[in-house]
Amino acid sequence: MDSTRVTEHPTSFDRPSTGADPTDPRGALLHTPVPPDSSGSALPVQGRGGETPPGTDPAGTFEHAQPGAEQAAEADAHRPRPVAEGVPAQPDGGQAGAAQPADVRPDAVPSAGTASGDMASKGVTSGDVASGDVVPGDAVPDGGRQDGAAPRRGAEPDRRTGQLTAPGQPTPMRRDGDRLRFVGAATRRIARGMDLDEIVMGLCRATVPTFADAILVYLREPLPVGDERPTGPLVLRLRRTDRIPAERDTEGGFTPAVQPEPSELETLGAELCEVRPGSALAEVLRGVRPVFTDTRSARAALPELLGEEQDLALPDGRRAILAPLRGRRRVIGAALFLRGPERVAFEADDLLVAAQLATHSALGIDKAVLYGREAYIADELQRTMLPENLPRCTGVRLASRYLPAAETARVGGDWYDAIPLPGSRVALVVGDVMGHSMTSAAIMGQLRTTAQTLAGLDLPPQEVLHHLDEQAQRLGTDRMATCLYAVYDPVSHRITVANAGHPPPVLLHLGGHAEVLRVPAGAPIGVGGVDFEAVELDAPAGATLLLYTDGLVESRLRDVWTGIEQLRERLAATAQLTGPDHPPPLEALCDEVLDMLGPGDRDDDIALLAARFDGIAPSDVSYWFLEPEDAAPGKARRLARRALARWGMEDLTDAVELLVSEVVTNAVRYASKPVTLRLLRTDVLRCEVGDDVPQLPRLRQARATDEGGRGLYLVNRLARRWGATRLSTGKVVWFELNRG
């Protein structure tokens, strides 16, 4: 027999704890061992609040009750002591805690090693025996009760009623303890859910089969968000229904003693129901508190919830509880807990359990809906801040990736962009605003819009960064960001790069060699008073330029330069797989780069932009300067005809001559410097005419009496696309035609 005994003490003196099941180790008592006196009698038991039970010395205390107790108390000073508790009255009105001389007789106490001697060695006093706490396996003297009747072996009196309870039968207080443990486990399981489905599933898994044989969860359709006032009628939709599974869940408390077979509970549950104002279901939901379905109001409400025919399948008696689910401001649904006929019916205390489950679930659902709305807003904000689709630019192919810092932080300050520029050029931009919050995303959106506007003016990269720095200072003194701005020219196969405190780009050559470009570091945007510098580098055909944010290369496990070196090695290793003459596909290359991130490498959001330089061959470019004179349109038609003949595109000659003549005529009329004419042969035929006049042409409908104004109308009707871009030195008007 174990010498250590365990007990549970009440947290309030107003409600004494009940007796424990003798067969349950949880009901054993913990007592501080006290050496018995020479006569074999144990120490008296104190009553509530220090009262001295009858038959004891009023002046006696625990330390001075008998000789030799001082040494025992000093040695036992650090042992836990039971909390003093009141002693309930016995059924015959006697004092249970009174230690009668007949309870433990000196001649009835055997020597050490016997049952009663074991009781004394374990600290079980005569007061313990008199109060009805029976030690399993020990003999109880006949004088254990005042009426002289010996209790049955193994029986236990209920401290609230004084009646004996058969071994193995749970007492009412023990069932209350099981309910508390079940509610605690169930609420923890419900609280683990983050979204709506997880919370509803947590409620169902915690309830079935521990508390009920089946559960039906109805939620409002649609669910209101926050302070929104729902419009339209109240409609409940069956969100989830669970029955007893094949393997019972024993995680959260007690389980049903009998495993019911599939019964009429399997057929319950209507998919959709409308709650009519003033109906019985509306009144039950308005009452908020769970109710048994055998009540008049609930019995009238069930046909509306389940349907007329399915209501008849409910088991009789208190085997169903209808619990409204109320959020912060309104009812958002209902839960129906069911028990089959083979199981014990619900009790009155089970309504409190259902109320706790419904309250925690409703509040969790309310917060999950709010969280879902916030996540949706964050996703939409981030999606609109970043380009939805990358443009198709001449001479370059593009691919991109964006990863948020975490699922809980879906927005951030990282961005990328690709902006077409005049002359078939393209601006490649990547930036990073400090932080990954909604504020960072808002600042990022403003800086990205500013960068697009500045790029449309065809400013040099260093001037773009200078104006971005001024814009960041206007937004606030603490608005800091890094940015890298590069302009690629497919005709000259050159790239111009300006940097503002951003990690340098990596260029992967066609042969598999990867190098980190040497660009000026620069100061971050928002510092103010800093000059930015641009460098011009070669961009050979077949090479791949990789722009990225520091979240890709920097983390708690490595510094930024170590990450850049790992990125360079990863690019080189990936290029070796496709051979020296074939660059790796862009999309697969982006995926390979992101695969270098380890489990602990995601500290920040990541923006990635990859550009494959195809370029335009010199043989596919024709370029001329035309003096601003009346003969310029005719000369432009002859030059265009010769270029088309050289390229074998004679079928486009008539359309090109007409459109070139109209655009060059417009340019010559107002230009004061030579006009440029350039033809580019790619997947389309592109014509560009530049002059030194900043005013952009405007399409208008010419009147019948007008002598001009029809040139752009013809361009708009015959060209595949056309446009005009203002430059720092003037403008460029361009149009494109499909190649045959």
Side-chain angles (χ1 to χ4, degrees):
M1 180 175 179
D2 190 1
S3 61
T4 304
R5 316 184 72 82
V6 182
T7 188
E8 295 179 359
H9 298 289
T11 57
S12 172
F13 292 125
D14 298 332
R15 185 177 184 183
S17 61
T18 61
D21 189 347
T23 64
D24 191 347
R26 295 177 299 178
L29 301 174
L30 173 63
H31 297 287
T32 303
V34 179
D37 58 7
S38 58
S39 63
S41 62
L43 292 176
V45 179
Q46 278 192 328
R48 182 193 300 265
E51 297 177 359
T52 304
T56 61
D57 183 9
T61 60
F62 182 84
E63 291 82 5
H64 303 86
Q66 52 185 325
E70 288 187 356
Q71 292 80 0
E74 182 178 355
D76 199 40
H78 301 288
R79 295 177 63 86
R81 301 181 185 277
V83 181
E85 59 178 297
V87 181
Q90 296 298 316
D92 56 0
Q95 296 294 331
Q100 303 297 334
D103 290 345
V104 181
R105 297 184 300 273
D107 57 346
V109 181
S111 60
T114 62
S116 300
D118 289 343
M119 293 172 60
S121 64
K122 295 165 187 170
V124 181
T125 65
S126 59
D128 298 328
V129 177
S131 63
D133 295 331
V134 180
V135 182
D138 290 341
V140 181
D142 295 339
R145 297 180 58 189
Q146 287 187 347
D147 55 6
R152 298 189 305 272
R153 178 179 179 85
E156 177 189 359
D158 188 345
R159 291 190 177 183
R160 293 184 294 184
T161 63
Q163 300 297 327
L164 293 178
T165 305
Q169 179 180 354
T171 62
M173 179 58 72
R174 188 179 167 198
R175 288 197 296 271
D176 292 344
D178 287 337
R179 289 190 181 95
L180 290 176
R181 284 188 290 272
F182 164 70
V183 170
T187 53
R188 286 193 300 271
R189 188 165 194 170
I190 295 170
R192 286 199 297 261
M194 286 291 293
D195 57 18
L196 180 62
D197 292 333
E198 290 178 353
I199 292 174
V200 175
M201 182 178 65
L203 170 64
C204 296
R205 295 286 176 84
T207 303
V208 178
T210 306
F211 181 70
D213 295 339
I215 182 175
L216 283 73
V217 181
Y218 287 85
L219 293 181
R220 194 164 189 156
E221 182 75 19
L223 279 169
V225 181
D227 296 331
E228 290 183 358
R229 296 187 63 86
T231 59
L234 173 58
V235 178
L236 298 181
R237 179 179 293 276
L238 183 61
R239 184 77 184 193
R240 186 181 176 95
T241 173
D242 273 19
R243 319 288 192 228
I244 287 186
E247 297 181 359
R248 289 180 292 176
D249 183 8
T250 59
E251 177 182 336
F254 61 90
T255 55
V258 181
Q259 178 76 17
E261 296 295 331
S263 62
E264 63 270 11
L265 299 181
E266 299 290 341
T267 62
L268 285 175
E271 183 68 22
L272 198 68
C273 73
E274 180 178 344
V275 182
R276 297 181 298 274
S279 63
L281 181 57
E283 294 298 324
V284 172
L285 296 179
R286 187 180 295 111
V288 178
R289 298 180 181 276
V291 294
F292 289 116
T293 55
D294 60 351
T295 61
R296 179 180 300 179
S297 58
R299 179 57 68 179
L302 286 179
E304 186 178 353
L305 181 66
L306 302 177
E308 295 291 342
E309 297 179 356
Q310 295 185 358
D311 176 47
L312 300 177
L314 280 177
D316 296 331
R318 291 188 170 183
R319 286 183 168 81
I321 296 177
L322 180 59
L325 302 177
R326 180 176 178 83
R328 293 187 305 163
R329 288 176 173 82
R330 61 185 62 86
V331 173
I332 60 175
L336 185 63
F337 303 93
L338 301 168
R339 284 186 180 179
E342 302 85 357
R343 188 168 177 177
V344 178
F346 288 112
E347 300 179 0
D349 288 343
D350 292 328
L351 290 178
L352 301 178
V353 177
Q356 288 290 328
L357 297 178
T359 300
H360 282 79
S361 301
L363 293 178
I365 290 171
D366 221 8
K367 294 177 181 179
V369 172
L370 287 173
Y371 172 76
R373 171 62 62 88
E374 293 295 328
Y376 171 77
I377 293 174
D379 289 341
E380 287 296 306
L381 176 62
Q382 190 69 54
R383 185 183 63 81
T384 55
M385 291 295 182
L386 298 175
E388 186 173 357
N389 294 306
L390 293 174
R392 298 184 59 183
C393 303
T394 302
V396 62
R397 287 174 286 171
L398 302 171
S400 63
R401 294 290 187 274
Y402 175 81
L403 293 179
E407 287 297 323
T408 55
R410 304 189 182 189
V411 295
D414 292 14
W415 90 92
Y416 61 88
D417 215 339
I419 308 169
L421 298 178
S424 298
R425 296 172 300 152
V426 59
L428 307 174
V429 190
V430 65
D432 182 6
V433 179
M434 292 179 57
H436 38 78
S437 62
M438 299 285 284
T439 303
S440 302
I443 297 172
M444 177 267 287
Q446 297 180 67
L447 293 181
R448 177 172 177 252
T449 303
T450 304
Q452 289 179 331
T453 304
L454 296 172
L457 299 176
D458 199 24
L459 297 178
Q462 64 271 22
E463 290 295 326
V464 172
L465 296 184
H466 175 73
H467 289 292
L468 282 177
D469 181 58
E470 292 180 341
Q471 176 65 15
Q473 294 180 66
R474 284 190 290 267
L475 295 176
T477 57
D478 58 343
R479 308 309 188 193
M480 304 285 292
T482 62
C483 183
L484 191 141
Y485 189 93
V487 175
Y488 171 66
D489 189 345
V491 177
S492 63
H493 297 271
R494 303 280 288 178
I495 184 171
T496 306
V497 184
N499 189 18
H502 204 78
V506 179
L507 184 65
L508 177 63
H509 293 270
L510 184 59
H513 172 65
E515 64 170 329
V516 179
L517 297 183
R518 297 181 177 273
V519 297
I525 292 173
V527 174
V530 180
D531 291 333
F532 298 98
E533 183 181 354
V535 294
E536 189 174 350
L537 305 171
D538 289 332
T544 304
L545 183 69
L546 194 69
L547 307 179
Y548 53 91
T549 56
D550 58 354
L552 179 66
V553 294
E554 185 179 19
S555 69
R556 293 186 300 266
L557 305 179
R558 62 188 179 191
D559 60 84
V560 61
W561 290 108
T562 302
I564 291 175
E565 180 61 24
Q566 293 179 359
L567 173 61
R568 187 194 65 80
E569 294 175 355
R570 188 61 175 259
L571 289 175
T574 303
Q576 295 296 331
L577 299 177
T578 58
D581 299 330
H582 301 282
L586 275 183
E587 298 294 337
L589 183 64
C590 291
D591 294 336
E592 285 291 329
V593 168
L594 294 180
D595 285 343
M596 67 177 284
L597 298 171
D601 293 350
R602 290 289 306 281
D603 297 333
D604 197 0
D605 43 345
I606 299 172
L608 181 67
L609 179 63
R612 174 69 46 76
F613 300 143
D614 294 332
I616 300 177
S619 58
D620 293 330
V621 180
S622 297
Y623 193 85
W624 304 278
F625 287 96
L626 303 174
E627 293 295 330
E629 54 188 15
D630 295 340
K635 185 177 181 180
R637 289 194 295 270
R638 291 193 299 272
L639 294 174
R641 188 185 311 116
R642 295 174 186 173
L644 294 177
R646 186 171 64 252
W647 292 336
M649 303 172 63
E650 291 85 354
D651 54 335
L652 298 178
T653 300
D654 294 339
V656 171
E657 285 188 0
L658 176 59
L659 298 183
V660 164
S661 178
E662 292 294 336
V663 176
V664 171
T665 300
N666 259 354
V668 169
R669 178 177 300 178
Y670 304 103
S672 59
K673 295 181 179 180
V675 176
T676 60
L677 173 62
R678 185 167 72 171
L679 294 180
L680 303 173
R681 183 184 65 168
T682 57
D683 54 341
V684 296
L685 179 66
R686 182 183 177 96
C687 176
E688 300 174 352
V689 177
D691 57 58
D692 60 341
V693 180
Q695 286 78 18
L696 299 180
R698 179 171 56 89
L699 181 64
R700 62 186 179 88
Q701 188 71 32
R703 292 174 298 184
T705 58
D706 291 342
E707 295 183 359
R710 296 176 176 84
L712 288 181
Y713 179 76
L714 292 175
V715 174
N716 185 60
R717 291 297 301 270
L718 298 179
R720 173 178 174 267
R721 289 195 313 159
W722 76 278
T725 306
R726 183 180 285 110
L727 307 177
S728 58
T729 58
K731 69 175 182 293
V732 170
V733 180
W734 56 271
F735 63 86
E736 293 177 353
L737 294 173
N738 291 324
R739 294 179 52 181

